[in-house]
Amino acid sequence: MTERQGPDASETVVTPGGTRIVRSEEFIQLLTPEGERVEAEGFTYDHDDATIAANLRHMVLGRRFDTEATALQRKGQLGLWPPALGQEAAQVGSGAAVADLDMIFPSYREHSVALMRGIDPLDMLKTFRGTAMVDWDSVAHRFHLYSFVIGTQALHATGYAMGMQRDGVVGNPDPADNGAVLVYFGDGATSQGDVSEALVFAASYDAPVVFFVQNNQWAISEPIERQSRIPLYRRATGFGIPSVRVDGNDVLAVQAVTEWAMDRARRGEGPTFIEAFTYRMGAHTTSDDPTKYRERAEEEEWRGKDPIARVRSYLLARGAIDQAWLDALEAESEELGVRVREGCLELPEPVLEDYWELAYATLPPGLAEQRDAYLAYEAGFEGEDAR
């Protein structure tokens, strides 16, 4: 019998014989909010301070881009924006575990991962400004297009992973010949049928896919305790998939856990489910107001666990970075902010004719006639504004 269950707390289980067992639901953590290294059973961080500093840079630049995009939406320059404030460690730590043959399937919030994969930030703004569809080269960047339908990318990722199996890109003797798939979604998506179906297929066929859920604890206005009676990572166990819960605000732990999961997927040992326990410090999207559904004290508590502050504290204490390093990063961040602000306003307006060309490699004759007729109709209005 379970006496009390909570996704963010321990669970007290009473056995049929009356024994009370407190089962810890703590996560894997390697760096505390105060910036101190700690040990975690089964996981170590095998990289040097230079790698951690590189992660800090990605986190700072990711937050700056996100902040600028949020401001642009508030000024009416974007129709909508999904902020990622507070989730930088979950994204950068997992993104750092990706190798050359891997493929990433994001939702619509993995802005820091996208920047790490070389996606132009202005390309990310096009959809939200309404000037273009999502159109970066997903193969070249190993980063699939954003998915705006909740959870559907879990199926795409699993199918792609099964394809990699059949293409012989999994379980080869040389690790450099192997790849795997990393798919992101939020806690709310775990309630979608698509995610459950993906877990079934991944488990059944040992697909080389890592399911990475960023549990930011709010599916818009629904708190996690209303979404799930158990911690999210334990849902995967029911599908027969190994699962791990990690401190999502600890970039070291996230990288270590994701590297382990991706390595076992590449070796052909099947899927893994990672729950990165983090917090969304901003709104779900700029269309909602979190002050209407959660307490200010909760937000303040999590600001004390800021993923960037703890890494910065750690590196400064180690002497791995100094104020000059931070000043240079601030200058780089400011340069990115200016480029995003100015570049957004200069994104080219869509041209109607292009949509026919983009839809088909060879335009069918019937649609070509429709295109010509519509363009002729539109041309009939030229000069009207001047009159």
Coordinates of all heavy atoms in Angstrom, one line a residue, residues 99-145:
A99 N 26.8 13.2 -30.5 CA 28.0 12.9 -31.3 C 27.6 13.1 -32.8 O 26.4 13.4 -33.1 CB 28.5 11.5 -31.1
D100 N 28.5 12.9 -33.7 CA 28.4 13.3 -35.1 C 27.2 12.5 -35.8 O 26.5 13.1 -36.6 CB 29.7 13.0 -35.8 CG 30.8 13.9 -35.4 OD1 30.5 15.0 -34.8 OD2 32.0 13.6 -35.7
L101 N 27.0 11.3 -35.5 CA 26.0 10.5 -36.2 C 24.6 10.5 -35.5 O 23.7 9.9 -36.0 CB 26.4 9.0 -36.4 CG 27.7 8.8 -37.3 CD1 28.0 7.3 -37.4 CD2 27.5 9.5 -38.6
D102 N 24.6 11.2 -34.4 CA 23.3 11.2 -33.6 C 22.3 12.2 -34.3 O 22.7 13.0 -35.1 CB 23.5 11.7 -32.2 CG 24.4 10.8 -31.4 OD1 24.5 9.6 -31.8 OD2 25.1 11.2 -30.4
M103 N 21.0 12.1 -34.0 CA 20.0 12.9 -34.5 C 19.1 13.4 -33.3 O 18.8 12.6 -32.4 CB 19.1 12.2 -35.5 CG 18.2 13.0 -36.2 SD 19.0 14.2 -37.4 CE 17.6 15.1 -38.0
I104 N 18.8 14.7 -33.4 CA 18.0 15.3 -32.3 C 16.6 15.6 -32.8 O 16.5 16.2 -33.9 CB 18.7 16.6 -31.8 CG1 20.0 16.3 -31.2 CG2 17.8 17.3 -30.8 CD1 20.8 17.5 -30.9
F105 N 15.6 15.3 -32.0 CA 14.2 15.7 -32.4 C 13.7 16.6 -31.2 O 13.4 16.1 -30.1 CB 13.3 14.5 -32.5 CG 13.5 13.7 -33.8 CD1 14.6 12.9 -34.0 CD2 12.6 13.9 -34.8 CE1 14.8 12.2 -35.2 CE2 12.8 13.2 -36.0 CZ 13.9 12.4 -36.2
P106 N 13.6 17.9 -31.5 CA 13.2 18.8 -30.4 C 11.7 19.0 -30.4 O 11.0 18.6 -31.3 CB 13.9 20.1 -30.9 CG 13.8 20.1 -32.4 CD 14.0 18.6 -32.7
S107 N 11.3 19.7 -29.3 CA 9.9 20.2 -29.3 C 9.9 21.6 -30.0 O 10.4 21.7 -31.1 CB 9.3 20.2 -27.9 OG 10.0 21.1 -27.1
Y108 N 9.5 22.6 -29.3 CA 9.6 24.0 -29.8 C 10.3 24.9 -28.8 O 10.2 26.1 -28.9 CB 8.2 24.5 -30.1 CG 7.2 24.3 -28.9 CD1 7.3 25.0 -27.8 CD2 6.2 23.3 -29.1 CE1 6.5 24.8 -26.7 CE2 5.3 23.1 -28.0 CZ 5.5 23.8 -26.8 OH 4.6 23.6 -25.8
R109 N 11.0 24.3 -27.8 CA 11.6 25.1 -26.8 C 13.1 24.9 -26.6 O 13.7 25.5 -25.7 CB 10.9 24.8 -25.4 CG 11.0 25.8 -24.4 CD 10.4 25.3 -23.0 NE 9.0 25.0 -23.1 CZ 8.0 25.9 -23.0 NH1 8.3 27.1 -22.7 NH2 6.7 25.5 -23.1
E110 N 13.7 24.1 -27.4 CA 15.1 23.7 -27.2 C 16.0 24.7 -27.9 O 16.9 24.4 -28.7 CB 15.4 22.3 -27.7 CG 14.9 21.2 -26.7 CD 13.4 21.2 -26.6 OE1 12.7 21.1 -27.6 OE2 12.9 21.2 -25.4
H111 N 15.9 26.0 -27.5 CA 16.6 27.0 -28.2 C 18.1 26.9 -28.0 O 18.9 27.2 -28.9 CB 16.1 28.4 -27.8 CG 14.6 28.5 -27.7 ND1 13.8 28.1 -28.7 CD2 13.8 29.0 -26.7 CE1 12.5 28.3 -28.4 NE2 12.5 28.9 -27.2
S112 N 18.5 26.6 -26.7 CA 19.9 26.5 -26.4 C 20.6 25.3 -27.2 O 21.7 25.4 -27.7 CB 20.1 26.3 -24.9 OG 19.8 27.4 -24.2
V113 N 19.8 24.2 -27.3 CA 20.4 23.1 -28.1 C 20.5 23.4 -29.6 O 21.5 23.1 -30.2 CB 19.5 21.8 -27.9 CG1 20.1 20.6 -28.6 CG2 19.2 21.5 -26.5
A114 N 19.5 24.2 -30.1 CA 19.6 24.6 -31.5 C 20.8 25.5 -31.7 O 21.5 25.3 -32.7 CB 18.3 25.3 -31.8
L115 N 21.1 26.4 -30.8 CA 22.3 27.2 -31.0 C 23.5 26.4 -31.0 O 24.5 26.6 -31.7 CB 22.3 28.3 -29.9 CG 21.2 29.4 -29.9 CD1 21.4 30.3 -28.7 CD2 21.3 30.2 -31.2
M116 N 23.6 25.4 -30.1 CA 24.8 24.5 -30.0 C 25.0 23.8 -31.3 O 26.1 23.4 -31.7 CB 24.6 23.5 -28.9 CG 24.6 24.1 -27.5 SD 24.3 22.9 -26.2 CE 25.8 22.0 -26.1
R117 N 23.9 23.5 -32.0 CA 24.0 22.7 -33.3 C 24.2 23.6 -34.5 O 24.2 23.2 -35.6 CB 22.7 21.9 -33.5 CG 22.4 20.9 -32.4 CD 23.5 20.0 -32.1 NE 23.9 19.2 -33.3 CZ 25.0 18.5 -33.4 NH1 25.8 18.3 -32.3 NH2 25.3 17.9 -34.5
G118 N 24.4 24.9 -34.2 CA 24.7 25.9 -35.3 C 23.5 26.4 -36.0 O 23.7 27.0 -37.1
I119 N 22.3 26.3 -35.4 CA 21.2 26.9 -36.0 C 21.2 28.4 -35.9 O 21.5 28.9 -34.8 CB 19.8 26.4 -35.4 CG1 19.8 24.9 -35.4 CG2 18.6 27.0 -36.1 CD1 19.7 24.3 -36.8
D120 N 21.0 29.2 -37.0 CA 21.0 30.6 -36.9 C 19.8 31.1 -36.0 O 18.7 30.7 -36.3 CB 20.9 31.2 -38.3 CG 21.2 32.7 -38.3 OD1 20.6 33.4 -37.4 OD2 21.9 33.2 -39.2
P121 N 20.1 31.9 -35.0 CA 18.9 32.3 -34.2 C 17.8 33.0 -35.0 O 16.7 33.0 -34.6 CB 19.6 33.3 -33.1 CG 20.9 33.6 -33.7 CD 21.3 32.5 -34.5
L122 N 18.2 33.7 -36.0 CA 17.2 34.4 -36.8 C 16.3 33.4 -37.6 O 15.1 33.6 -37.8 CB 17.8 35.4 -37.8 CG 18.6 36.5 -37.2 CD1 19.3 37.4 -38.3 CD2 17.7 37.4 -36.3
D123 N 16.9 32.2 -37.9 CA 16.0 31.2 -38.5 C 15.0 30.7 -37.5 O 13.9 30.3 -37.9 CB 16.9 30.0 -39.0 CG 17.6 30.3 -40.3 OD1 17.2 31.2 -41.0 OD2 18.6 29.6 -40.6
M124 N 15.4 30.7 -36.2 CA 14.4 30.3 -35.2 C 13.3 31.3 -35.1 O 12.1 30.9 -34.7 CB 15.1 30.0 -33.9 CG 15.8 28.7 -33.8 SD 16.4 28.4 -32.1 CE 18.0 29.1 -32.3
L125 N 13.5 32.5 -35.3 CA 12.5 33.6 -35.2 C 11.5 33.6 -36.3 O 10.4 34.2 -36.1 CB 13.2 34.9 -35.0 CG 14.1 35.2 -33.8 CD1 14.6 36.6 -33.8 CD2 13.4 34.8 -32.5
K126 N 11.9 33.1 -37.5 CA 11.0 33.3 -38.7 C 9.6 32.8 -38.4 O 8.6 33.5 -38.8 CB 11.7 32.6 -39.8 CG 12.9 33.2 -40.4 CD 13.5 32.4 -41.5 CE 14.8 33.0 -42.1 NZ 15.4 32.1 -43.1
T127 N 9.5 31.6 -37.9 CA 8.2 31.0 -37.7 C 7.4 31.9 -36.7 O 6.2 32.1 -36.9 CB 8.3 29.6 -37.1 OG1 9.1 28.8 -38.0 CG2 6.9 28.9 -37.0
F128 N 8.0 32.3 -35.7 CA 7.3 33.1 -34.7 C 7.0 34.5 -35.1 O 6.1 35.2 -34.6 CB 8.1 33.1 -33.4 CG 8.3 31.7 -32.8 CD1 9.5 31.0 -33.0 CD2 7.3 31.1 -32.1 CE1 9.7 29.8 -32.5 CE2 7.5 29.8 -31.5 CZ 8.7 29.1 -31.8
R129 N 7.7 35.0 -36.2 CA 7.3 36.3 -36.7 C 6.4 36.1 -37.9 O 5.8 37.1 -38.4 CB 8.6 37.0 -37.2 CG 8.5 38.4 -37.7 CD 9.8 39.1 -37.8 NE 9.7 40.4 -38.5 CZ 9.3 41.5 -37.9 NH1 9.0 41.5 -36.6 NH2 9.3 42.7 -38.6
G130 N 6.2 34.9 -38.4 CA 5.3 34.6 -39.4 C 5.8 34.9 -40.8 O 5.0 35.1 -41.7
T131 N 7.1 34.9 -40.9 CA 7.7 35.3 -42.3 C 8.1 34.0 -43.0 O 8.4 34.1 -44.2 CB 8.9 36.2 -42.1 OG1 9.9 35.5 -41.3 CG2 8.5 37.5 -41.4
A132 N 8.2 32.9 -42.4 CA 8.6 31.6 -43.1 C 8.2 30.4 -42.2 O 8.0 30.6 -41.0 CB 10.1 31.6 -43.3
M133 N 8.2 29.3 -42.8 CA 8.1 28.1 -42.1 C 9.4 27.7 -41.4 O 10.5 28.3 -41.7 CB 7.7 26.9 -43.0 CG 6.3 27.2 -43.7 SD 4.9 27.3 -42.6 CE 4.7 25.6 -42.2
V134 N 9.5 26.7 -40.5 CA 10.7 26.3 -40.0 C 11.5 25.6 -41.1 O 11.0 24.6 -41.7 CB 10.5 25.2 -38.8 CG1 11.8 24.8 -38.2 CG2 9.6 25.8 -37.8
D135 N 12.7 26.1 -41.5 CA 13.3 25.6 -42.7 C 14.8 25.4 -42.6 O 15.5 25.5 -43.7 CB 12.9 26.5 -43.9 CG 13.4 27.9 -43.6 OD1 14.0 28.2 -42.6 OD2 13.3 28.8 -44.6
W136 N 15.3 25.2 -41.4 CA 16.8 25.0 -41.4 C 17.1 23.6 -41.9 O 16.2 22.7 -42.0 CB 17.4 25.2 -40.0 CG 16.7 24.4 -38.9 CD1 16.8 23.0 -38.7 CD2 15.9 24.9 -37.9 NE1 16.1 22.7 -37.6 CE2 15.6 23.8 -37.1 CE3 15.4 26.1 -37.5 CZ2 14.7 23.9 -35.9 CZ3 14.6 26.3 -36.4 CH2 14.3 25.2 -35.6
D137 N 18.4 23.3 -42.3 CA 18.8 22.0 -42.8 C 18.9 21.1 -41.7 O 20.0 21.0 -41.0 CB 20.1 22.2 -43.6 CG 20.5 21.0 -44.3 OD1 20.1 19.9 -43.9 OD2 21.3 21.1 -45.3
S138 N 17.9 20.2 -41.5 CA 17.9 19.4 -40.3 C 19.0 18.3 -40.4 O 19.5 17.8 -39.4 CB 16.5 18.7 -40.1 OG 16.2 18.0 -41.3
V139 N 19.3 17.8 -41.6 CA 20.3 16.8 -41.8 C 21.7 17.3 -41.5 O 22.5 16.7 -40.8 CB 20.3 16.2 -43.2 CG1 21.4 15.2 -43.4 CG2 18.9 15.5 -43.4
A140 N 22.0 18.5 -42.0 CA 23.3 19.1 -41.8 C 23.6 19.4 -40.3 O 24.7 19.2 -39.8 CB 23.5 20.3 -42.7
H141 N 22.6 19.9 -39.7 CA 22.7 20.2 -38.3 C 22.4 19.1 -37.3 O 22.7 19.2 -36.1 CB 21.8 21.4 -37.9 CG 22.1 22.7 -38.6 ND1 23.2 23.4 -38.3 CD2 21.5 23.4 -39.6 CE1 23.3 24.5 -39.0 NE2 22.2 24.5 -39.9
R142 N 22.0 18.0 -37.9 CA 21.6 16.8 -37.0 C 20.5 17.3 -36.0 O 20.5 16.8 -34.8 CB 22.8 16.2 -36.3 CG 23.9 15.8 -37.3 CD 23.5 14.9 -38.4 NE 23.1 13.6 -38.0 CZ 22.5 12.7 -38.7 NH1 22.1 13.1 -40.0 NH2 22.1 11.5 -38.3
F143 N 19.7 18.2 -36.4 CA 18.7 18.8 -35.5 C 17.4 18.9 -36.3 O 17.3 19.8 -37.2 CB 19.2 20.1 -35.0 CG 18.3 20.8 -33.9 CD1 18.6 20.4 -32.6 CD2 17.4 21.7 -34.2 CE1 17.8 21.0 -31.5 CE2 16.6 22.3 -33.2 CZ 16.9 22.0 -31.9
H144 N 16.4 18.1 -36.0 CA 15.2 18.1 -36.7 C 14.4 19.4 -36.5 O 14.7 20.2 -35.6 CB 14.3 16.9 -36.3 CG 13.2 16.6 -37.3 ND1 11.9 17.0 -37.2 CD2 13.3 15.8 -38.4 CE1 11.3 16.5 -38.2 NE2 12.1 15.7 -38.9
L145 N 13.4 19.7 -37.4 CA 12.6 20.9 -37.3 C 11.8 20.9 -36.0 O 11.5 19.8 -35.4 CB 11.7 21.0 -38.5 CG 12.4 20.9 -39.9 CD1 11.3 21.0 -41.0 CD2 13.5 21.9 -40.0

